Amino acid sequence: MKTHRVIITFVLCTLSICTLYAVERTILLGPKTIGKAWRDNIILEPRHFADAKAGDILTVYNDRAKGTAQGAFQNPQNWQGVAPEYGYFGIAGPFRMTLTDNILRIARAYGIAIGGHDYRILRVTITDAADFQETIVWKGSPVKMKNDWSTSAEIAGRCFETLQQGDGLRLHISHVEEGAACKLMDFTWHALDPSVDGVPVGGDAYTWTVNSRAPILKLQLAGYGNQTAMRIGGKGYRLDSIGIVRQVGEVSEDLSLAQRAPREYMLQPGELFHGEKYFAPDWSGNLSINAAPFQEVTENDVLIISYRLDTEAVATGTKAQLSIRDARWHEITGGDEPIWYPLDGTDVVYMFDAVALDRVKTRGLIVTGVGFTLTKIEIISAQ
Amino acid sequence: MRNKILLLLLLLTCASCGAQNVPDPVQPTVSYTLCNTKATAETQQLWSVLCSEYGKRAMSGVVANVDWNTRETENVYAWTGKYPALNVFDFINIHASKDFNPQGWLDYSDLTPVTDWFNAGGVVGCMWHWQVPANNGTNYTCSPGTEPGQTSFDPSKVNDPSSDEYRRMVRDIDQVAGYLKKMQKRGIPVIWRPLHEASGNATEFEGGGAWFWWGAKGPEAYKALWRFMYDRMVNYHKLNNLIWVWNSQVGDWDWYPGDDVVDVVGRDSYYALQYPLAKEYNELKNHYPNKLIALAECGNGDEVDMSLWSKIWHEGSRWSWFMTWYDYNYNAGTSDEHQFAGEAWWQDAFNSGVVIDRETMKSLLK
């Protein structure tokens, strides 16, 4: 009897610990570079969201973010933001998204694409909402942000006395209009960091993670006591309250179910593309390469395009073909009409002339077509 | 014989076609002159050095971190052990200058950043993101438009002395002229680049437009404003320490204010690859043969990273100087990588042997 009591007590204690502190589990392991100009993305597989629930937090840990880096959570089906506020936003440290029923519907059907530009994804996790504890620090009269950006709320320094690095500052909002945006400023009206200078907001809250000491010092020193430390402005929403959110859960080291980002491939000299790019029968496929790799190309060089025929598409009557344009979709040879290269499985070999060279060195090129999977584009010297 | 001549002609034609990207030396016979015949001795001396170096070496430069400092020059020094020769200050925040606005956060009337830089041997440049009140009545902006945060400020009102816009323009020009006058009194010549990028991308493709208010009403209003500013500064305020740089955008030939009010033609490029830059340089040089041509702003862009300076030069560009843009986040310590031109780029520039740093410039100006 005594033994049973001990076991029951042990089980109950274990359960209560599990309930108090769920673990943050990794669903994607990087690195995955999200380069310039919105060209890169990675899709989180739908399976990761089977057990997730509304309120859970998706966190993208990242590094190498440039000052102007932007992130995005997109629906891979149509490449729109999974919610208006997630179409694009600034990045300064880890960025997060609260899963809603609507977002979960998308995620379970198609997954979620993480995109943007100028940063590198290290790890993506899902955390139970209960792992974040929130303390409301401001609940003044609600402030409606007018559409002309002329309104702002003044927040006293005492609200930030307990703020620590790594905490989130959660703005509870309502009456959100289309195009709503928020600007978090210090008392001198300067944005606290570039990621909160007009960031889109939506839903019922926006959380800014405080990743460095600088803004904390600014808020705590400049706004001692009842002095104004922070100004919150923007347009198209109402600010109702502010909380400080702190993560209290643990991190799981179990990576057995984590999705792995594809190994980052380093292009070899002369290679412009290496990988798999599908050119579907619906003409939706194209690949754009900017002018940089063409700067030293001469008329002695040739462009080789390698591909694999989409036998299924060809069998159903699709005529596999491709054309090469400049980045403004003009025919690379300078002609008015595009030239189509029929594809029979052998590489397409293109020899540059002066006109084509000028176009690719100035604008870059686009490959478009149907019925194949592009595997490699390279430049080799004919000499 | 006839066949031989034809063959020779053919060879010459081929040679000239092939020489398209070969370095194109500046014509030594061209005499470049300042449009202001009353330019101060210091200004003429700087001009003389720029002209004598044109085509041989480029003067290195950076812009200030937003407005009134030499913060970016310290980055270059930390990376290379050398300072760039040119620092360009920006009058972007004159509305917040303490001498005009007691609530302001900077003071353009305090010339310390400028004189310190000049006394250390640096060349002083100034530009002006000329901000005017936004439509919402609270902010200041350069962006034209009807949105609350934009401005409907009409540059064509420069022809209407009874308008509010005219009075505002005069007031602002006079304020800036005051700072430039202080520099003149201290013997500081200034490479002066106002009203830049006026046509935006209006002439580049259909649907393009001006992105600053001074270009919003087209070329005629813009040229009138340029000439008005020139007249106000040179003839009214007697500013004789300015080298006037007009900024050209792709295809904006109609926007050129005129040989008599422009000393240097500049081009800004954030698609700064060696081949397009060489094309643009040659196009500008052919169009404005009597003017120095400068790469007035440059840096990595959204699409591509800037080519190394050694490659830009090798491709045939002979810009009189270049000026890389600032990275506010890098300077604030919130970004590890300089967005526009970092350590590797600057090291290549100074190792290319065709770039003038501050020390070299100092010796040239002696």
Side-chain angles (χ1 to χ4, degrees):
Chain A
M1 187 63 185
K2 195 176 175 187
T3 313
H4 283 159
R5 270 191 201 156
V6 170
I7 290 171
I8 289 165
T9 310
F10 175 76
V11 170
L12 285 174
C13 285
T14 310
L15 278 174
S16 79
I17 287 168
C18 289
T19 311
L20 273 177
Y21 297 120
V23 291
E24 179 179 18
R25 60 187 171 91
T26 300
I27 60 169
L28 177 96
L29 207 56
K32 167 66 185 174
T33 302
I34 306 294
K36 281 178 171 281
W38 294 84
R39 274 197 289 267
D40 301 307
N41 60 66
I42 190 162
I43 298 174
L44 300 172
E45 294 165 4
R47 65 182 169 93
H48 300 304
F49 303 97
D51 298 328
K53 55 190 182 307
D56 287 357
I57 310 287
L58 192 77
T59 302
V60 180
Y61 294 93
N62 62 82
D63 69 355
R64 298 186 186 174
K66 289 189 181 170
T68 52
Q70 288 183 310
F73 292 111
Q74 297 161 311
N75 178 349
Q77 184 74 353
N78 57 16
W79 298 103
Q80 302 295 307
V82 293
E85 63 271 29
Y86 294 126
Y88 69 91
F89 47 82
I91 294 177
F95 57 91
R96 296 189 163 88
M97 173 170 71
T98 303
L99 299 175
T100 62
D101 287 329
N102 196 38
I103 292 171
L104 277 171
R105 263 194 296 278
I106 295 168
R108 287 172 183 149
Y110 313 111
I112 289 176
I114 304 174
H117 61 90
D118 294 316
Y119 70 99
R120 187 175 71 161
I121 298 169
L122 297 176
R123 195 161 61 96
V124 181
T125 66
I126 289 185
T127 318
D128 194 293
D131 272 14
F132 290 89
Q133 287 185 350
E134 181 176 8
T135 310
I136 298 294
V137 292
W138 180 84
K139 195 167 176 20
S141 301
V143 180
K144 177 78 177 80
M145 304 299 169
K146 292 181 193 165
N147 274 328
D148 62 2
W149 295 81
S150 63
T151 331
S152 66
E154 294 182 348
I155 315 297
R158 62 183 150 73
C159 298
F160 306 107
E161 281 168 2
T162 61
L163 188 64
Q164 294 176 12
Q165 195 169 341
D167 287 350
L169 210 56
R170 180 173 291 166
L171 275 52
H172 294 274
I173 58 178
S174 60
H175 300 75
V176 176
E177 297 165 18
E178 194 178 334
C182 160
K183 184 171 181 175
L184 302 185
M185 297 166 280
D186 61 22
F187 77 105
T188 63
W189 301 90
H190 285 91
L192 281 164
D193 82 34
S195 71
V196 290
D197 190 356
V199 60
V201 293
D204 57 8
Y206 166 72
T207 304
W208 172 53
T209 307
V210 187
N211 291 301
S212 73
R213 288 286 301 148
I216 297 174
L217 286 173
K218 215 179 239 186
L219 294 173
Q220 291 177 343
L221 294 177
Y224 183 75
N226 286 323
Q227 299 285 318
T228 297
M230 187 187 209
R231 299 179 199 276
I232 298 176
K235 63 167 185 168
Y237 71 96
R238 193 180 81 177
L239 178 67
D240 296 321
S241 61
I242 302 171
I244 291 178
V245 181
R246 189 161 298 160
Q247 191 170 358
V248 293
E250 295 172 359
V251 180
S252 167
E253 298 302 324
D254 179 11
L255 302 176
S256 59
L257 296 176
Q259 176 184 341
R260 309 286 167 134
R263 187 170 148 258
E264 300 227 303
Y265 180 82
M266 185 75 81
L267 289 174
Q268 301 301 303
E271 278 187 347
L272 306 180
F273 171 79
H274 181 113
E276 302 256 319
K277 173 77 182 174
Y278 180 50
F279 286 66
D282 65 0
W283 296 90
S284 60
N286 58 68
L287 181 88
S288 171
I289 299 171
N290 68 45
F294 298 102
Q295 293 303 296
E296 288 168 34
V297 172
T298 71
E299 287 185 48
N300 293 324
D301 298 326
V302 292
L303 186 74
I304 313 269
I305 301 176
S306 306
Y307 58 90
R308 196 173 60 241
L309 281 174
D310 178 0
T311 48
E312 202 174 304
V314 172
T316 55
T318 298
K319 187 181 167 191
Q321 54 186 332
L322 67 77
S323 85
I324 310 169
R325 317 284 180 85
D326 70 21
R328 290 188 185 170
W329 290 91
H330 296 134
E331 166 56 36
I332 197 173
T333 58
D336 291 334
E337 295 298 319
I339 295 171
W340 288 98
Y341 299 91
L343 304 180
D344 58 7
T346 55
D347 291 346
V348 172
V349 179
Y350 183 82
M351 302 182 75
F352 292 107
D353 60 12
V355 174
L357 268 183
D358 180 69
R359 292 200 164 197
V360 296
K361 291 171 103 167
T362 309
R363 300 173 180 174
L365 68 74
I366 289 171
V367 174
T368 185
V370 286
F372 64 98
T373 297
L374 194 64
T375 54
K376 188 155 73 169
I377 301 178
E378 63 184 326
I379 292 171
I380 62 169
S381 173
Q383 284 188 324
Chain B
M1 184 63 184
R2 192 162 170 263
N3 283 347
K4 274 186 185 167
I5 291 171
L6 283 173
L7 188 64
L8 189 64
L9 275 173
L10 189 65
L11 283 171
L12 281 171
T13 310
C14 288
S16 70
C17 290
Q20 213 168 13
N21 293 330
V22 168
D24 188 5
V26 176
Q27 296 165 27
T29 50
V30 176
S31 169
Y32 304 101
T33 51
L34 286 168
C35 47
N36 180 2
T37 53
K38 294 176 184 165
T40 62
E42 296 88 354
T43 310
Q44 288 182 28
Q45 189 194 11
L46 173 58
W47 181 247
S48 168
V49 169
L50 290 174
C51 293
S52 66
E53 290 295 327
Y54 186 39
K56 300 173 196 156
R57 290 185 290 187
M59 176 171 69
S60 56
V62 293
V63 72
N65 188 44
V66 185
D67 39 36
W68 200 235
N69 54 68
T70 54
R71 177 68 184 81
E72 277 288 330
T73 69
E74 297 301 334
N75 292 338
V76 177
Y77 182 75
W79 294 329
T80 66
K82 294 179 178 180
Y83 282 102
L86 168 72
N87 187 78
V88 177
F89 300 86
D90 191 342
F91 290 121
I92 184 171
N93 285 319
I94 57 164
H95 61 278
S97 187
K98 286 177 180 168
D99 54 329
F100 271 68
N101 175 1
Q103 308 299 317
W105 64 80
L106 79 173
D107 188 355
Y108 283 101
S109 68
D110 177 0
L111 281 200
T112 306
V114 178
T115 51
D116 284 354
W117 176 252
F118 179 71
N119 291 336
V123 175
V124 173
C126 288
M127 62 182 295
W128 190 5
H129 280 97
W130 187 351
Q131 298 200 92
V132 292
N135 298 329
N136 62 22
T138 52
N139 294 29
Y140 283 82
T141 185
C142 301
S143 301
T146 54
E147 293 286 313
Q150 298 173 322
T151 182
S152 306
F153 198 87
D154 183 351
S156 69
K157 291 292 171 69
V158 72
N159 298 314
D160 177 6
S162 66
S163 65
D164 289 343
E165 284 96 332
Y166 179 92
R167 281 190 285 274
R168 174 102 213 171
M169 286 189 257
V170 170
R171 200 197 80 169
D172 286 357
I173 290 172
D174 289 354
Q175 185 182 350
V176 166
Y179 307 135
L180 294 169
K181 189 82 173 206
K182 283 184 162 200
M183 296 182 204
Q184 179 167 288
K185 282 180 181 165
R186 286 164 174 76
I188 302 174
V190 178
I191 292 178
W192 171 232
R193 187 170 70 102
L195 304 172
H196 62 298
E197 300 176 8
S199 69
N201 50 22
T203 54
E204 203 172 353
F205 45 77
E206 207 174 319
W211 48 66
F212 294 132
W213 64 260
W214 48 89
K217 295 291 178 186
E220 296 313 316
Y222 170 72
K223 286 186 283 192
L225 176 57
W226 179 282
R227 298 188 79 88
F228 178 81
M229 180 189 284
Y230 184 93
D231 179 61
R232 185 90 186 164
M233 286 191 162
V234 174
N235 299 322
Y236 180 83
H237 286 292
K238 312 290 182 208
L239 286 170
N240 297 319
N241 60 334
L242 306 181
I243 293 172
W244 286 77
V245 184
W246 174 72
N247 223 105
S248 161
Q249 296 288 98
V250 171
D252 63 352
W253 315 119
D254 291 345
W255 295 66
Y256 182 58
D259 278 350
D260 58 329
V261 287
V262 171
D263 298 312
V264 179
V265 173
R267 171 59 55 87
D268 294 357
S269 179
Y270 293 90
Y271 196 85
L273 296 171
Q274 67 234 42
Y275 181 84
L277 277 182
K279 273 183 77 173
E280 291 179 41
Y281 171 80
N282 285 324
E283 196 177 44
L284 289 172
K285 198 165 76 64
N286 290 334
H287 209 87
Y288 304 106
N290 299 317
K291 302 295 172 187
L292 263 56
I293 310 294
L295 189 54
E297 281 183 32
C298 62
N300 301 329
D302 292 340
E303 284 287 317
V304 298
D305 283 347
M306 177 162 54
S307 292
L308 294 173
W309 184 259
S310 57
K311 294 188 174 189
I312 292 171
W313 195 263
H314 180 75
E315 192 76 30
S317 295
R318 292 295 179 266
W319 309 95
S320 175
W321 72 79
F322 62 80
M323 184 194 80
T324 59
W325 201 245
Y326 72 90
D327 184 346
Y328 183 84
N329 300 306
Y330 183 86
N331 293 333
T334 55
S335 174
D336 295 334
E337 194 183 341
H338 198 285
Q339 187 188 345
F340 294 103
E343 181 171 356
W345 193 90
W346 273 97
Q347 284 186 346
D348 170 81
F350 281 138
N351 289 335
S352 69
V354 288
V355 168
I356 299 170
D357 71 345
R358 191 174 76 179
E359 278 308 297
T360 310
M361 197 67 194
K362 199 172 171 181
S363 63
L364 289 169
L365 286 168
K366 270 182 183 167

